């Protein structure tokens, strides 16, 4: 196992707090890396670079998962389908979808997903966590080779309800529980690292998204002189944003993280490696959106080349998707 020198932050948090940890482990990992550079112990750090297991045949996976999740799916009417990026089956009001690029699995009960009714007194969050945890183990069969999961966040969905002549009130109607992945005890950052489970307020499962992938063999390790200094990473991100025309004087830096980066639910990715992530938010009164930028935590040319290949292929995927969506109508005019 690589020598993490205090970067394996999730287990340390879990020993003190069994609740959802959010982004705290990734922030602590960043701080631990900065401390290692400051005290010279960075020479003792080794981080692995991994190849993700292939996605495989999405159609075969869909068939297998349809059988495994049969208790959830309404088999009254099966309507298979596929598009440029995914394959799916509609079973009654339920949809099970497998992404061809990332392997992300998504199940939704469209009759209840974002159509739930408030109930008298939603259940305690601890109950939703318990139901989601049981579901994670019993139904999702999440890939565990090379990764672990920890409670990340719970989200409550609300509707504004108003009656004539009365002030609007908010009523909760749905809950989502998220688990985040770790590799070697370090948190995984990015949108492709989560398991999200959606529940109606009565605790019924009404959907899930599983975006974890099995981690294959380590292809190399990076450490010591191979690692990018956190300050150098921050400066590179600031330059990148400035070159894009962003006036950084109108933003403040609010978060810095270190973790294994996983891209989004439809993204092409073959290599997973440690990255820094920086978040900047507009100052009060400034019109703008929150900025999130990532950069590899290494200076090794061979590793950077592997990561660049992933980003190039992901860029090509997005361009092809946009071109397909915006293809001109080539039919002759009447």
């Amino acid at each position: 196992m690589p020598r993490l020198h205090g970067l394996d932050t999730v287990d340390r948090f879990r020993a003190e707090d069994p609740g959802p940890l959010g982004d705290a482990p990734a922030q602590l990992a960043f701080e631990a890396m900065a401390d290692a550079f400051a005290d010279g112990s960075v020479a003792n750090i080794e981080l692995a670079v991994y190849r993700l297991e292939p996605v495989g045949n999405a159609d075969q996976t869909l068939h297998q998962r349809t059988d495994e999740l049969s208790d959830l799916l309404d088999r009254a009417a099966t309507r298979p389908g596929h598009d440029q990026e995914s394959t799916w089956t509609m079973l009654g009001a339920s949809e099970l979808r497998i992404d061809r690029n990332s392997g992300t699995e998504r199940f939704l009960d469209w009759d209840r997903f974002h159509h739930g009714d408030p109930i008298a007194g939603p259940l305690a969050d601890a109950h939703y966590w318990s139901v989601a945890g049981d579901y994670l183990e019993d139904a999702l069969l999440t890939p565990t080779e090379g990764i672990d999961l920890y409670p990340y966040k719970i989200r409550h969905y609300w509707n504004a309800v108003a009656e004539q002549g009365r002030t609007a009130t908010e009523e909760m109607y749905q809950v989502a529980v998220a688990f985040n992945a770790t590799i070697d005890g370090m948190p995984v950052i990015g949108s492709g690292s989560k398991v999200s489970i959606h529940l109606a307020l009565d605790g019924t499962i009404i959907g899930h998204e599983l975006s974890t992938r099995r981690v294959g063999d380590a292809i190399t390790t990076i450490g010591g002189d191979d690692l990018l200094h956190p300050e150098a990473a921050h400066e590179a991100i600031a330059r990148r944003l400035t070159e894009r025309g962003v006036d950084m004087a109108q933003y403040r830096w609010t978060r810095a993280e270190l973790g294994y980066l996983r891209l989004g639910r439809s993204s092409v990715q073959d290599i997973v490696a440690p990255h820094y992530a920086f978040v900047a938010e507009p100052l009060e009164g400034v019109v703008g959106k929150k900025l999130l930028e990532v950069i590899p935590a290494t200076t090794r040319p061979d590793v950077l080349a592997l990561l660049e290949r992933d980003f190039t292929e992901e860029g090509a995927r997005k361009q092809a998707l946009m071109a397909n969506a915006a293809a001109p109508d080539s039919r002759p005019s009447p």
Side-chain angles (χ1 to χ4, degrees), residues 227-294:
L227 296 170
L228 179 65
H229 196 294
E231 291 183 6
H234 185 239
E235 292 170 0
I237 291 297
R239 286 195 302 271
R240 179 194 299 175
L241 291 170
T242 300
E243 289 169 359
R244 289 182 190 166
V246 178
D247 182 2
M248 295 309 298
Q250 298 188 1
Y251 284 80
R252 61 187 178 93
W253 298 101
T254 56
R255 198 165 77 240
E257 300 177 352
L258 171 64
Y260 281 92
L261 178 66
R262 282 284 283 113
L263 304 179
R265 70 161 64 117
S266 295
S267 300
V268 176
Q269 187 173 10
D270 184 45
I271 303 299
V272 62
H275 281 66
Y276 295 114
F278 297 92
V279 176
E281 298 185 35
L283 298 175
E284 186 176 355
V286 175
V287 177
K289 62 180 181 179
K290 181 168 67 174
L291 305 173
L292 170 62
E293 295 290 324
V294 297

